[in-house]
Amino acid sequence: MDLVPALREPLKKVLGPATAKVMAEHLGLHTVGDLLHHYPRRYEERGQLTHLADLPMDEHVTVVAQVADARLHTFASSKAPRGKGQRLEVTITDGSGRLQLVFFGHGVHKPHKELLPGTRAMFAGKVSVFNRRLQLAHPAYELLRGDAEGEETVESWAGALIPLYPATAKLESWKLAKAIQTVLPSAQEAVDPLPESLREGRGLVSLPEALLKIHRPHTKADIEDARARLKWDEAFVLQIALARRRHAETQLPAVPRKPSPDGLLTAFDDRLPFTLTDGQQKVSQEIFDDLATDHPMHRLLQGEVGSGKTLVALRAMLAVVDSGGQAVMLAPTEVLAQQHHRSVVEMMGELAEGGMLGGAEHATKVVLLTGSMGAAARRHALLDLATGEAGIVIGTHALIEDKVQFHDLGLVVVDEQHRFGVEQRDALRGKGKQPPHLLVMTATPIPRTVAMTVFGDLETSVLDQLPAGRSPIASHVVPAADKPHFLARAWERVREEVSNGHQAYVVCPRIGDEDDDPRKGAKQSKQPPEGDADKRPPLAVLDVAEGLAKGPLQGLKVEVLHGRMQPDDKDAVMRRFAAGETDVLVATTVIEVGVNVPNATAMVIMDADRFGVSQLHQLRGRVGRGSAPGLCLLVSEMPEASAARQRLNAVASTRDGFELSRIDLEQRREGDVLGQAQSGARTSLRVLAVIEDEEIIAEARQEAAAVVAADPELTSLPGLRTALEALLDDEREQYLEKG
């Protein structure tokens, strides 16, 4: 069934090309349906009907009165120096008192024509005082034509809630309101996407009624009814899209991958020097069960920093190699790809030496493929992939290029999903003869509702136990501006860790080379004025490293690491640090994910208030990875009462990543989070709030799963299909599919 023509009507036909163009360009609104779903941001209450004799100051009032007098004055001003400025002064009376109205500039023309002496009208505005006289500046007004209108109109107009819309400089809220009033009758033709049983079961109003009530409410209860209903629409349609996606995945064919009883996986488990945690065993089992089915696995593996996700992923990869397939691990950066390659080869030992002398009986080849490899090494790696010689491949986006061919791709593991483009993941999945199984790993804990909304097409496994032998990390805020001696003590603590045979990280928000210098060569004093921490440029790696090497950390081996270094240089720095040759590594957030140096026990994060909560938690997870306890110092110049300091206190006081991710989400705009799953286009969520509406999202997910299981094509629910097409235009559904 096609969409309702009335709602598909282009706005330029209804409102004229000029207004439609502004709406399309600035608000992304193209059709009548789009405009009806552009909801008010809040509501202003017109003042209750007031007599002119008792007007309250600074309040919004509505008065019914007659125009006694209207005069147009011209004057000179900075905007109109030649005396061309215009001011219209209108005096009104209701028999009990008098009041002056003023209109300026272009706003004088319409009232000058309409507000003639003797005209009766309603006026609404905020009461102010000018020259010791009460006045309303630029009041809204509505002319009353004869007494036939009656007091009823007056009463309803006065008490009305005025919707204020998200507007732009080119299109004020009241113009939007007017445009919406024009198309509001079409709301009657809106086909309801919610199945009737669901709507009645939850006591929700119909869609036409909800649209009417949100745009033209008579009472606050109307607004509540409308919002409750529209939240359900958004949650339900989104969950239907995800449920259909999950259903479609179960229809795709995949090669079941089962590990052989005494193959590579068994040999690997036998050489592990420790036993897996209960959590690792449980999650591994979930993954193996998925891999054994004949449709592709789609699983999100959430694990706290250091919970052993890489080990779980490696066991899944070995199971696939056992069954004759190949497994790929995709990392967001070269540093991380090299690091994963090193740690996998170390963990596997002779099992990673397939085809080599001394390689174990079940061994396979572990190949690294990144963009900066030399031509010969690259050719060699590509050959190993194409022949199937390499069972495990680790690399960056270089793996997605057209030239890269696999012999039999069985599993794709994506590390740190939120840094990896959707199209890239899909391109890689397209390289299998049949769709490969997919495992997405993230160390950023995601609140349950966001997981249901953003990663709703993936089954979720959570690793929340830390392996035995992991050390606790103590975190403290260092208030550098209030207590400079605390910062001096922080550097002493770093020296103490180094003298005990350990190493430290110092993290800065910026690199500090020419390309990234916000001062662009401008001279600037090193010390910012007190309390101006947020006005000066963020501290930079190159400056801080130099200052530390000459100052508080003199005599220690200090090196730098950042994203703009040559890949070989980066790798050399990481190797020296991992080997213990460097005492202190001053770096940007390139070390945020996956860098594993058990001997590093201390981390000092400079300008910590410039990082997000989850990012600080990620960074902190780089220390305390060995047997010695970790220390994380969050340095900030922000004042104690500031929101930034409260955030840092929250990070210092809890190790629970899920709790922190919730704080993070409450403090950021939701769009940032949903943006991970959807295109740069506006998020489709307008009234649904991911954290507050957890219950609705969870219930909508259940309802959606049931609807799709019974009727995957939604043939019996044309209204729902319509809503799906409208809310998730093709591009956005693609994003959700891959999200």
Side-chain angles (χ1 to χ4, degrees):
M1 169 181 163
D2 208 15
L3 255 173
V4 182
L7 296 199
R8 285 209 71 175
E9 189 83 49
L11 287 173
K12 59 172 175 272
K13 278 193 176 172
V14 188
L15 303 173
T19 308
K21 185 168 185 257
V22 176
M23 286 191 177
E25 284 175 9
H26 295 275
L27 296 167
L29 307 174
H30 303 278
T31 64
V32 168
D34 291 345
L35 185 53
L36 285 173
H37 286 293
H38 186 72
Y39 308 132
R41 191 179 59 239
R42 59 191 179 86
Y43 298 86
E44 194 66 78
E45 289 186 68
R46 278 206 184 96
Q48 291 309 306
L49 220 45
T50 315
H51 287 297
L52 293 183
D54 21 85
L55 286 178
M57 273 297 300
D58 279 342
E59 281 190 26
H60 283 274
V61 298
T62 300
V63 296
V64 175
Q66 196 162 353
V67 177
D69 180 25
R71 293 176 192 197
L72 191 60
H73 302 272
T74 53
F75 60 92
S77 71
S78 56
K79 287 187 181 166
R82 295 208 190 97
K84 293 280 175 62
Q86 292 190 309
R87 180 175 77 245
L88 176 66
E89 291 181 0
V90 178
T91 308
I92 58 171
T93 175
D94 66 352
S96 72
R98 292 167 85 82
L99 177 67
Q100 190 168 7
L101 318 175
V102 287
F103 300 87
F104 292 98
H106 296 303
V108 304
H109 305 309
K110 188 167 174 275
H112 189 218
K113 280 202 301 245
E114 294 183 337
L115 297 179
L116 304 170
T119 309
R120 192 160 174 270
M122 285 184 288
F123 303 92
K126 191 174 183 181
V127 182
S128 57
V129 170
F130 182 70
N131 276 346
R132 292 198 296 234
R133 285 169 64 192
L134 293 182
Q135 71 167 26
L136 298 182
H138 284 284
Y141 64 86
E142 191 148 302
L143 303 177
L144 296 174
R145 313 195 189 284
D147 283 335
E149 295 271 322
E151 287 306 305
E152 207 172 296
T153 318
V154 173
E155 282 299 332
S156 66
W157 196 80
L161 293 154
I162 308 165
L164 294 182
Y165 291 91
T168 73
K170 294 262 166 57
L171 201 64
E172 299 94 336
S173 171
W174 63 268
K175 284 187 182 161
L176 272 163
K178 208 162 181 182
I180 286 167
Q181 292 300 346
T182 308
V183 300
L184 205 50
S186 305
Q188 292 305 329
E189 299 183 48
V191 175
D192 207 317
L194 294 189
E196 204 167 324
S197 55
L198 187 158
R199 202 173 72 232
E200 286 173 359
R202 297 183 180 277
L204 299 170
V205 300
S206 70
L207 181 57
E209 190 180 335
L211 291 172
L212 222 56
K213 281 183 166 175
I214 200 143
H215 291 298
R216 203 188 268 169
H218 293 301
T219 61
K220 289 185 176 166
D222 282 354
I223 301 169
E224 287 311 306
D225 284 353
R227 288 176 68 84
R229 162 60 214 245
L230 295 167
K231 280 181 178 191
W232 254 94
D233 276 19
E234 287 178 9
F236 185 67
V237 175
L238 194 57
Q239 292 301 337
I240 284 282
L242 294 165
R244 287 186 70 190
R245 176 64 184 167
R246 288 194 301 275
H247 182 267
E249 297 292 358
T250 63
Q251 308 306 304
L252 286 175
V255 179
R257 308 281 178 176
K258 295 179 183 164
S260 45
D262 325 310
L264 184 55
L265 178 61
T266 309
F268 174 75
D269 283 349
D270 288 346
R271 53 168 288 134
L272 277 180
F274 50 81
T275 52
L276 298 177
T277 65
D278 294 348
Q280 286 174 320
Q281 287 181 345
K282 177 175 148 287
V283 169
S284 285
Q285 197 50 55
E286 290 172 348
I287 292 170
F288 291 150
D289 291 348
D290 282 359
L291 288 173
T293 60
D294 50 14
H295 56 81
M297 164 172 82
H298 275 89
R299 193 166 277 283
L300 172 69
L301 173 55
Q302 279 185 255
E304 276 283 18
V305 175
S307 57
K309 290 182 303 298
T310 312
L311 177 62
V312 168
L314 177 56
R315 293 185 73 235
M317 291 163 87
L318 295 174
V320 169
V321 175
D322 254 354
S323 69
Q326 290 169 294
V328 163
M329 182 184 272
L330 269 177
T333 63
E334 294 211 351
V335 167
L336 199 49
Q338 288 159 345
Q339 171 112 12
H340 275 317
H341 182 253
R342 269 201 300 278
S343 60
V344 164
V345 168
E346 271 167 34
M347 279 197 266
M348 288 176 64
E350 73 256 26
L351 296 175
E353 297 169 359
M356 301 202 278
L357 272 174
E361 178 195 351
H362 299 293
T364 186
K365 210 169 193 177
V366 180
V367 168
L368 176 70
L369 186 65
T370 62
S372 62
M373 284 169 80
R378 190 176 169 78
R379 256 200 318 278
H380 203 85
L382 288 171
L383 192 64
D384 284 344
L385 263 64
T387 58
E389 185 85 11
I392 290 178
V393 187
I394 295 169
T396 54
H397 330 182
L399 280 168
I400 295 163
E401 289 169 15
D402 292 344
K403 296 188 214 73
V404 180
Q405 296 300 321
F406 292 89
H407 177 64
D408 178 14
L409 180 58
L411 170 67
V412 177
V413 178
V414 180
D415 189 18
E416 288 306 321
Q417 145 76 18
H418 63 292
R419 294 163 170 262
F420 210 82
V422 175
E423 299 84 349
Q424 296 161 322
R425 217 169 80 191
D426 251 38
L428 193 64
R429 272 166 53 182
K431 290 188 177 291
K433 294 183 179 67
Q434 283 192 329
H437 298 280
L438 175 70
L439 180 66
V440 172
M441 299 198 297
T442 176
T444 308
I446 302 163
R448 175 168 160 258
T449 40
V450 180
M452 285 190 292
T453 311
V454 176
F455 301 107
D457 59 337
L458 301 170
E459 299 302 325
T460 305
S461 295
V462 177
L463 272 177
D464 46 14
Q465 261 178 305
L466 288 185
R470 268 299 161 88
S471 306
I473 302 174
S475 304
H476 303 284
V477 178
V478 177
D482 314 345
K483 300 180 178 166
H485 60 285
F486 275 38
L487 184 57
R489 175 74 187 116
W491 301 127
E492 282 172 23
R493 284 290 290 112
V494 170
R495 292 193 83 98
E496 286 164 16
E497 290 297 313
V498 172
S499 63
N500 288 335
H502 298 304
Q503 292 158 279
Y505 297 101
V506 177
V507 182
C508 304
R510 202 165 56 83
I511 298 172
D513 56 9
E514 289 307 306
D515 291 352
D516 114 310
D517 192 347
R519 296 164 295 192
K520 286 290 173 232
K523 291 271 183 234
Q524 179 166 341
S525 65
K526 287 281 183 211
Q527 273 306 306
E530 191 76 10
D532 275 6
D534 52 346
K535 298 203 178 68
R536 64 162 166 74
L539 292 171
V541 166
L542 302 178
D543 304 340
V544 168
E546 188 185 350
L548 290 174
K550 291 180 180 167
L553 301 185
Q554 198 170 3
L556 300 187
K557 181 93 170 64
V558 177
E559 286 211 68
V560 300
L561 178 71
H562 59 75
R564 270 206 282 272
M565 289 165 64
Q566 288 302 312
D568 292 353
D569 297 344
K570 278 194 273 199
D571 198 39
V573 168
M574 266 326 293
R575 277 178 193 280
R576 285 196 293 275
F577 190 63
E581 296 164 25
T582 306
D583 299 321
V584 179
L585 186 63
V586 183
T588 54
T589 55
V590 287
I591 60 152
E592 178 185 350
V593 282
V595 172
N596 185 21
V597 180
N599 192 44
T601 53
M603 176 178 285
V604 181
I605 302 179
M606 306 304 290
D607 277 347
D609 47 89
R610 310 262 180 160
F611 299 95
V613 169
S614 295
Q615 200 174 25
L616 291 169
H617 183 58
Q618 284 277 74
L619 286 165
R620 164 170 69 183
R622 300 298 119 219
V623 294
R625 299 177 78 85
S627 52
L631 172 69
C632 177
L633 301 174
L634 306 165
V635 180
S636 171
E637 294 185 2
M638 298 305 279
E640 194 162 356
S642 64
R645 275 283 287 280
Q646 318 267 291
R647 276 209 318 273
L648 297 181
N649 292 340
V651 174
S653 64
T654 176
R655 288 293 319 279
D656 182 343
F658 286 92
E659 177 54 33
L660 287 174
S661 70
R662 207 179 166 96
I663 295 170
D664 200 16
L665 183 60
E666 281 166 358
Q667 292 183 338
R668 289 184 344 205
R669 289 194 346 276
E670 228 132 49
D672 301 349
V673 181
L674 296 171
Q676 295 166 2
Q678 299 179 350
S679 63
R682 292 171 309 141
T683 158
S684 64
L685 302 190
R686 298 190 184 88
V687 285
L688 193 71
V690 174
I691 284 280
E692 290 161 33
D693 298 321
E694 179 163 348
E695 219 171 285
I696 294 179
I697 293 171
E699 289 173 16
R701 183 180 165 100
Q702 275 181 331
E703 295 271 9
V707 166
V708 170
D711 180 6
E713 292 306 308
L714 308 178
T715 28
S716 61
L717 296 164
L720 182 52
R721 286 181 61 178
T722 294
L724 200 57
E725 289 159 25
L727 252 173
L728 307 171
D729 49 38
D730 289 345
E731 177 205 17
R732 206 178 286 142
E733 187 158 25
Q734 285 304 312
Y735 266 88
L736 278 168
E737 282 177 5
K738 301 163 189 170

